[in-house]
Amino acid sequence: MHVTADRDVCVGAGQCVRAAPDVFDQDEEGIVLVLRQQAGDDRREITEEAAAVCPSGAVRLT
Ligand code: SF4
């Protein structure tokens, strides 16, 4: 699964980091950073959870 996040629409809520802390991080302004652009099967569930709880729709999984 390929992971991207649109930093222009991220509102810095941090839910993605709480759901999948080894896939997402936040910069000093709270805007999302993608730590792993490829999420394997072992991280699929938490990465999908992160996308589901993101309030801005910034997280994209393909
Ligand atoms: S949950 Fe969404 S809005 Fe919040 S930091 Fe992550 S990408 Fe940004």
Side-chain angles (χ1 to χ4, degrees), residues 43-62:
R43 293 186 175 85
R44 176 177 295 271
E45 193 170 328
I46 60 170
T47 305
E48 289 178 344
E49 172 69 11
V53 298
C54 172
S56 69
V59 176
R60 293 259 183 260
L61 307 178
T62 54

Side-chain angles (χ1 to χ4, degrees), residues 4-47:
T4 59
D6 187 340
R7 288 170 50 83
D8 291 334
V9 303
C10 172
V11 297
Q15 270 89 328
C16 59
V17 180
R18 280 189 279 280
D22 63 350
V23 180
F24 301 97
D25 198 359
Q26 290 168 280
D27 68 14
E28 62 277 357
E29 295 178 344
I31 303 302
V32 66
L33 298 168
V34 176
L35 300 178
R36 295 175 185 272
Q37 294 186 340
Q38 295 294 332
D41 286 345
D42 55 337
R43 293 186 175 85
R44 176 177 295 271
E45 193 170 328
I46 60 170
T47 305

